[in-house]
Amino acid sequence: MKNVFVIAAALSLCIVSVSAQDSDGLSREVTVEKSYSPRVDNAAKITGVPEVEDPLVEQPLAEFSSWAVPVMGVPKTQPLPASLLATQEPFDKKFGYAQFGMGNNLNIRGDAGLRLLNTSADQLGIWYNHYSTGGRLSYLSPPSWSSDKVYQHQNSNTVNLTYKHLFKKVEWRTSGAYRSNAFNYYGFSLLPLPVKEGEDTQHVNQYAVSTAVRSVKDELVVFDASVGFEGFRNRIGYLIGSDGGVENHLETRLSLAVALSEGSRHRLGFDVKLDNLFYRRTQARNYTVFSFTPFYKYASDKIRFKAGAKMDVSAHDGTVFRFAPDVEFNVDFGKSFHFYTVVDGGKELNTWSKMSSQNIYLNPTMRLASTYTPVNALVGLYCDYLPGFKVRGFVGVKSSVSALFDVRRSETVADGMIVSHEVVDYAPLDAFRILGGVNVEYNLSNILKGEVRWVYNGWMTRGERDFILSSLPRNEWFIDLGIYPVKSLAIKALFYIGSGRGYRYDNPDGVENPPVKMSDIYELNLSVDYNITKMIRVFAEGNNLLSQHYDIYYGMPAQRINFLVGLGIDF
């Protein structure tokens, strides 16, 4: 591990020296991901339509602490896209904002932010987010040994401080964030056995700091460099009465591209990434992954092309060398038709911090297996020929080793007692995915906006080609409608359908139960936002208005009809 620290320190010093020599501005905006959100891979959003306008645009290399992003909207407890009415606060356009809302099931959401410094060269902002819920939820089909209802609790508080400075040719951005998230492992027991008494409320502390620099002008040499540290600390462990594990992640990244000549469309470059994972209060081993991706890029008015190859070198992570392609191609046919394809892959680290953005109920003691994807290919077509309409279609395939699929898990002892929390763990499976979808968007003079989207996400075991059932739907439909009759009023509706879900239960002392299908989801959400003045607005949002009874994971019910009303101030 000494070599690991030497490499990390060397790259860090390189980044500091680059910042001192050529200071200019780093626009390192982080993507929004709520407490529960679908997984996203580089080629396509698993539960959404991939962005296609410019697949080869220079993107931020580091997305440290995806949980540390200001998000406004209704508090949600389900991880499915039915809860995506919330939008990112346009913080850069305001000096400050505050919002507070309450609803049934003790749903509470509070947000506040203040731009302490906002000039053309410097930006300093701080924001805070609170979300909590505490209601009793009815089980869908409880077993005979279970009660009819369960208490669900969560209390999440996040604070973030970010500073950005723009030099002549370089941008520097540094930020820090902290989140305290307390919740209970709710849901009925899947075994008719007594449960050992003990604390069932988990308290997770997450903390992150990062600093980064990148060039902001199209010079002969462009670069993006960053260092970030993120920690994840569980208070209680998997076994009742044990301490939870601690995960610390040090991540260093550097991307460099050089034009072959002044004004050339051709560039040669490389991406370098070093990940160091350190664990305490668990039997998990520390491990390191070093990634190197040399590439060639070409960009003209009509064609954008990238060809590269990624090499991952791992220490204490099962394998040593892994290879994958890194190819992108985008061509414009006229002004309205655009073809794109992405073929990539590589090693994917499934850290606690990353996976908890999808599922907070994961095993607080066991380290999650890394996923290796030899190939992840996507082909799509985008058309905006008809006025007001945008149509996208895409298909793709993905082959992965140790892809993760959720499974409820508990531990028992010989005398017939459950001695662990029933967590939503992940089982690594060698799997193959077929992805496809169509997306149609419509905009009528910014008064009526609509979207209809269908996504097929079929995972199968490699070899047998049996479908894998998990909480992720195989088929999803999104019907989204927004009406803006006047400038001060916004009415939004979302109807979501998710089918092809299932669950598996695993007891390490027994045999894993066969997968069982779960009920489909039909959820209708509605929101109304009205600006009383330029500063003051009121809002009301209703979710699951059909009051459908379904589970997030098997035995863990989602909230039925729920609402939120509140007041917001923007200044």
Side-chain angles (χ1 to χ4, degrees):
M1 296 305 295
K2 291 183 178 179
N3 293 333
V4 170
F5 283 106
V6 171
I7 297 174
L11 287 176
S12 302
L13 290 174
C14 290
I15 291 173
V16 173
S17 64
V18 169
S19 175
Q21 294 173 9
D22 203 19
S23 330
D24 186 303
L26 169 71
S27 176
R28 193 186 235 352
E29 303 304 327
V30 186
T31 57
V32 174
E33 291 187 293
K34 295 190 288 299
S35 296
Y36 304 98
S37 62
R39 294 175 60 184
V40 177
D41 56 34
N42 290 332
K45 294 179 180 179
I46 290 178
T47 57
V49 176
E51 295 298 329
V52 53
E53 282 74 13
D54 191 358
L56 295 183
V57 67
E58 296 291 343
Q59 298 178 357
L61 285 178
E63 293 179 356
F64 308 113
S65 59
S66 58
W67 47 269
V69 181
V71 179
M72 308 285 282
V74 181
K76 282 295 169 183
T77 56
Q78 45 263 62
L80 300 173
S83 61
L84 295 188
L85 280 181
T87 58
Q88 183 176 5
E89 172 66 22
F91 188 68
D92 290 336
K93 300 179 181 179
K94 301 174 182 178
F95 178 71
Y97 65 89
Q99 175 177 279
F100 180 80
M102 293 186 64
N104 61 335
N105 295 323
L106 291 180
N107 288 337
I108 299 176
R109 183 73 182 241
D111 303 89
L114 184 64
R115 181 70 69 188
L116 303 174
L117 189 62
N118 190 17
T119 68
S120 59
D122 296 280
Q123 289 186 355
L124 174 63
I126 184 172
W127 58 262
Y128 166 78
N129 167 263
H130 168 82
Y131 160 63
S132 59
T133 188
R136 293 187 63 83
L137 308 180
S138 299
Y139 286 124
L140 178 60
S141 300
S144 58
W145 58 84
S146 173
S147 59
D148 295 332
K149 294 186 177 182
V150 63
Y151 175 72
Q152 180 197 36
H153 164 73
Q154 185 182 359
N155 188 327
S156 172
N157 295 274
T158 306
V159 63
N160 176 287
L161 181 67
T162 300
Y163 173 72
K164 183 169 65 175
H165 180 77
L166 183 65
F167 296 90
K168 184 177 180 180
K169 296 181 180 180
V170 175
E171 185 179 66
W172 172 51
R173 182 186 179 101
T174 186
S175 64
Y178 170 76
R179 182 190 185 191
S180 171
N181 187 24
F183 57 90
N184 67 322
Y185 293 98
Y186 80 104
F188 62 67
S189 174
L190 298 180
L191 292 175
L193 299 174
V195 180
K196 180 182 177 181
E197 292 186 1
E199 177 65 48
D200 70 342
T201 298
Q202 180 65 274
H203 190 178
V204 175
N205 289 289
Q206 293 177 259
Y207 36 90
V209 292
S210 65
T211 187
V213 293
R214 77 170 176 182
S215 53
V216 294
K217 292 188 177 181
D218 190 11
E219 301 285 344
L220 189 66
V221 178
V222 295
F223 64 90
D224 192 331
S226 61
V227 175
F229 175 80
E230 186 166 6
F232 192 96
R233 184 186 184 95
N234 297 287
R235 187 174 66 86
I236 62 175
Y238 172 53
L239 297 178
I240 296 175
S242 65
D243 292 331
V246 178
E247 176 187 80
N248 292 313
H249 182 192
L250 176 63
E251 185 176 30
T252 306
R253 298 186 182 187
L254 173 63
S255 179
L256 183 71
V258 181
L260 299 187
S261 62
E262 189 73 31
S264 174
R265 301 176 183 269
H266 306 269
R267 286 186 181 272
L268 292 176
F270 61 85
D271 296 328
V272 174
K273 179 183 176 185
L274 179 65
D275 291 281
N276 296 281
L277 275 296
F278 309 97
Y279 292 89
R280 292 191 296 112
R281 302 197 315 208
T282 175
Q283 295 181 354
R285 295 186 66 184
N286 301 337
Y287 68 100
T288 299
V289 178
F290 173 78
S291 300
F292 178 70
T293 308
F295 60 79
Y296 161 79
K297 281 187 178 182
Y298 171 82
S300 67
D301 294 337
K302 297 289 186 180
I303 298 175
R304 289 163 294 281
F305 175 71
K306 174 185 177 182
K310 182 181 181 183
M311 177 184 69
D312 296 311
V313 183
S314 305
H316 303 152
D317 193 35
T319 59
V320 178
F321 292 98
R322 292 293 196 186
F323 300 92
D326 186 10
V327 178
E328 299 179 27
F329 178 65
N330 185 1
V331 59
D332 300 334
F333 299 99
K335 295 182 179 180
S336 301
F337 295 91
H338 316 275
F339 170 83
Y340 63 95
T341 184
V342 180
V343 182
D344 61 7
K347 198 153 193 176
E348 181 179 0
L349 305 187
N350 299 310
T351 64
W352 286 344
S353 181
K354 169 193 167 184
M355 300 303 292
S356 67
S357 66
Q358 312 161 37
N359 163 35
I360 62 175
Y361 306 104
L362 51 79
N363 192 320
T365 302
M366 296 294 294
R367 185 200 130 191
L368 297 170
S370 299
T371 300
Y372 167 57
T373 299
V375 62
N376 181 22
L378 177 76
V379 177
L381 184 66
Y382 168 69
C383 172
D384 57 358
Y385 180 77
L386 296 176
F389 281 91
K390 295 180 181 180
V391 181
R392 307 181 189 186
F394 63 93
V395 295
V397 294
K398 182 177 184 178
S399 179
S400 295
V401 177
S402 297
L404 299 187
F405 298 92
D406 56 89
V407 52
R408 286 197 69 186
R409 175 166 290 145
S410 67
E411 198 93 15
T412 60
V413 293
D415 57 357
M417 175 177 286
I418 297 176
V419 295
S420 70
H421 304 288
E422 289 200 281
V423 300
V424 181
D425 209 343
Y426 289 92
L429 299 175
D430 295 347
F432 179 83
R433 183 189 71 180
I434 298 177
L435 178 71
V438 177
N439 173 231
V440 180
E441 298 180 46
Y442 178 67
N443 186 344
L444 176 62
S445 302
N446 290 323
I447 297 175
L448 177 65
K449 298 181 182 180
E451 178 182 4
V452 177
R453 182 175 8 141
W454 166 72
V455 177
Y456 176 80
N457 190 35
W459 280 97
M460 296 172 285
T461 55
R462 290 171 61 177
E464 292 83 0
R465 290 291 192 267
D466 295 328
F467 280 108
I468 300 173
L469 288 177
S470 70
S471 64
L472 179 68
R474 192 177 306 154
N475 279 283
E476 293 181 291
W477 284 90
F478 303 79
I479 303 174
D480 199 351
L481 179 65
I483 303 175
Y484 310 88
V486 293
K487 187 176 181 180
S488 59
L489 178 63
I491 304 172
K492 298 180 183 179
L494 171 65
F495 184 57
Y496 171 80
I497 302 174
S499 63
R501 304 171 66 230
Y503 87 96
R504 291 173 300 134
Y505 178 76
D506 184 19
N507 184 305
D509 295 327
V511 179
E512 180 179 333
N513 293 341
V516 177
K517 291 184 178 180
M518 295 171 60
S519 61
D520 297 339
I521 300 173
Y522 301 89
E523 182 163 308
L524 176 64
N525 300 331
L526 179 68
S527 69
V528 179
D529 197 307
Y530 179 70
N531 290 317
I532 301 175
T533 67
K534 290 184 178 181
M535 290 183 58
I536 302 174
R537 58 189 174 86
V538 293
F539 61 90
E541 303 187 8
N543 301 279
N544 197 5
L545 295 179
L546 302 179
S547 196
Q548 196 210 2
H549 215 164
Y550 69 90
D551 286 345
I552 301 175
Y553 302 100
Y554 185 74
M556 302 173 64
Q559 294 188 21
R560 301 184 72 174
I561 185 170
N562 60 90
F563 62 87
L564 192 82
V565 294
L567 178 71
I569 301 176
D570 305 308
F571 54 94

